[in-house]
Amino acid sequence: MSAQLLAVQIDRASPVPLYHQLAEQLSAAVADGTLQPGDPFENEVALSARLQLSRPTVRRAIRELVDQGLLVRRRGVGTHVAGRMVHRRLKLSSLYDDLAREGRDPRTTILEHEIREDERAAIALDLPPDTPLLSIVRLRSAGDSPLAILHNWLPPAYSDLTREDLETSGLYALLRDRGGRPVVAHQSVGARMPTATERRHLKIRGSHPLLTMTRSAFDAGGNAVEFGDHCYRAQDYTVDLMVDER
């Protein structure tokens, strides 16, 4: 299969570096599906000649996409578009909604659904330690590909959520239907090795780590809405952060 020749517009009068202009347009082509996973990517020499850019400029743009996990370079094979990852910006959003928005066919398998006490979750939700919470554990997949195990604890106000509800909708949509609208959260992102159970559910082989995320979310009145402790296949998932100088 020959590489697709993308239409790229380079503005040499712009203060934006040329390599960044190129990288942004290439990244957009991956994000909008113009370039599909596995597609061969135009080689560096041909791209620099076609766009009349120096090879170091093109090389830097391609390296940026490789670093983002959007392109994969293999010796003797060339550069190809990487398998699709879930790119989530650090905001109050639902993985279900993110997958649906990308046309990724979100699917949910309920692994646990019960009322029980959990001191750690109750403290995170600013509730008494003996508060009965709805504990739900879901395996979230994109089509047939498992992506994440999502463990959430909900306060008593939302304990009427059923297994059937959770199999067909995202958690945040269900909470909003019940008047629970998270507007602020404390969130931590980390990494660790998976347990045997997590390896089985997420179909992980070898020594691949998990990306982890914990989040305590509250509504505009300061009332607890949910506490989540999630883990994701690191090779299929990334979190995008925007930072600025204060």
Side-chain angles (χ1 to χ4, degrees):
M1 182 188 298
S2 60
Q4 181 176 346
L5 303 183
L6 295 173
V8 175
Q9 300 295 324
I10 299 296
D11 182 2
R12 288 172 168 78
S14 170
V16 178
L18 299 181
Y19 84 89
H20 190 67
Q21 291 185 46
L22 177 57
E24 286 288 290
Q25 293 177 66
L26 297 178
S27 176
V30 175
D32 66 18
T34 301
L35 291 175
Q36 291 290 315
D39 282 352
F41 193 78
E42 189 175 3
N43 71 61
E44 179 184 303
V45 175
L47 189 57
S48 61
R50 182 167 69 86
L51 300 179
Q52 297 184 328
L53 294 171
S54 70
R55 287 185 63 182
T57 295
V58 172
R59 186 179 304 122
R60 186 171 179 183
I62 292 175
R63 185 170 64 244
E64 191 165 301
L65 268 68
V66 171
D67 291 344
Q68 292 175 25
L70 300 178
L71 295 179
V72 176
R73 279 175 163 162
R74 293 190 176 93
R75 187 183 300 274
V77 177
T79 303
H80 288 72
V81 180
R84 295 183 71 177
M85 297 182 72
V86 180
H87 287 260
R88 294 184 71 187
R89 298 193 181 278
L90 200 58
K91 62 180 182 179
L92 280 172
S93 65
S94 159
L95 177 56
Y96 185 99
D97 294 338
D98 291 339
L99 291 172
R101 188 161 43 247
E102 296 177 7
R104 299 284 302 278
D105 184 23
R107 300 183 186 180
T108 304
T109 301
I110 307 300
L111 305 178
E112 178 183 305
H113 180 278
E114 64 178 356
I115 303 291
R116 61 183 176 87
E117 296 177 6
D118 187 289
E119 184 175 359
R120 171 178 173 243
I123 291 173
L125 291 169
D126 199 22
L127 295 171
D130 59 352
T131 302
L133 306 172
L134 176 59
S135 171
I136 54 176
V137 182
R138 296 162 293 156
L139 174 64
R140 177 62 44 73
S141 303
D144 295 326
S145 301
L147 290 176
I149 296 174
L150 314 174
H151 193 171
N152 292 80
W153 289 265
L154 306 178
Y158 308 109
S159 61
D160 64 325
L161 286 176
T162 67
R163 299 176 72 98
E164 291 73 21
D165 291 334
L166 294 160
E167 286 172 346
T168 56
S169 296
L171 177 60
Y172 273 26
L174 294 168
L175 292 174
R176 287 193 295 268
D177 288 344
R178 289 161 174 76
R181 185 175 294 275
V183 297
V184 65
H186 177 265
Q187 186 160 287
S188 298
V189 178
R192 60 173 172 79
M193 298 305 295
T195 66
T197 298
E198 290 165 343
R199 285 181 183 276
R200 184 175 71 254
H201 284 307
L202 294 174
K203 299 181 180 178
I204 294 174
R205 296 180 179 178
S207 57
H208 294 291
L210 294 175
L211 181 69
T212 64
M213 184 185 300
T214 60
R215 179 160 71 187
S216 304
F218 301 83
D219 65 18
N223 302 302
V225 176
E226 62 103 4
F227 172 62
D229 189 350
H230 302 168
C231 63
Y232 307 82
R233 286 171 54 101
Q235 61 265 48
D236 296 324
Y237 192 90
T238 186
V239 177
D240 296 327
L241 304 175
M242 179 67 73
V243 296
D244 59 16
E245 183 180 14
R246 295 293 182 182

